[in-house]
Amino acid sequence: MRTLTPSRRTVVAAALGLVASLSLGGCSQGAGAPPADVGCLLAQFHGELVAENDRPVVRTLGDNWEAFGHAGTVPLDWPDGWTIRPTDGGQLEVLDGNGSVRVRTGTRIVLLHSGDPALPVFNRDGEFQVCAADPYAP
């Protein structure tokens, strides 16, 4: 069996550390929330995005809504810079601040809240304050 000298042990340890760092960095880039979602709480609020009076609202699904005393249809307060636009098919699209379509009416979605204690989950108008929105992928 070969014995590593102190200088070889240092080289091997450094190489293993570099491989581990690169692996973790690659995993953290490929998985998880996009950078715009970094400040969001991980608790998920599920629902179906529907159009009501020319604005997207969520038809609630799951227990998180009931824990806050909201069930049925809930209006949404989108993040600053997000916009709504109609599509040719009569649906609505929600675009983030970069102009990327995040969600569309007629689909199941997952909403996240910021978790900031200074920002309640529902504003005084009863709107869920969205931090992030993505299509639901079972």
Side-chain angles (χ1 to χ4, degrees):
M1 182 167 142
R2 286 174 66 175
T3 306
L4 294 177
T5 63
S7 63
R8 285 192 179 180
R9 268 191 294 239
T10 304
V11 169
V12 169
L16 290 175
L18 178 62
V19 168
S21 296
L22 292 173
S23 297
L24 290 174
C27 289
S28 66
Q29 293 297 320
D37 301 345
V38 166
C40 300
L41 188 65
L42 293 179
Q44 297 182 356
F45 292 80
H46 291 246
E48 182 180 358
L49 196 64
V50 297
E52 185 176 279
N53 298 323
D54 294 324
R55 72 182 276 196
V57 298
V58 67
R59 186 176 299 134
T60 63
L61 300 168
D63 296 337
N64 280 355
W65 297 103
E66 293 169 8
F68 288 95
H70 286 75
T73 303
V74 175
L76 302 168
D77 182 8
W78 300 99
D80 289 341
W82 287 36
T83 57
I84 312 300
R85 74 176 177 202
T87 68
D88 292 337
Q91 299 292 334
L92 300 172
E93 294 178 326
V94 179
L95 291 79
D96 64 18
N98 295 323
S100 299
V101 175
R102 294 298 293 257
V103 290
R104 291 180 176 89
T105 56
T107 61
R108 290 195 56 190
I109 62 168
V110 175
L111 297 170
L112 303 178
H113 179 262
S114 73
D116 180 351
L119 185 67
V121 176
F122 295 89
N123 66 22
R124 62 181 148 196
D125 295 327
E127 298 170 326
F128 178 84
Q129 298 195 65
V130 177
C131 178
D134 290 298
Y136 175 74

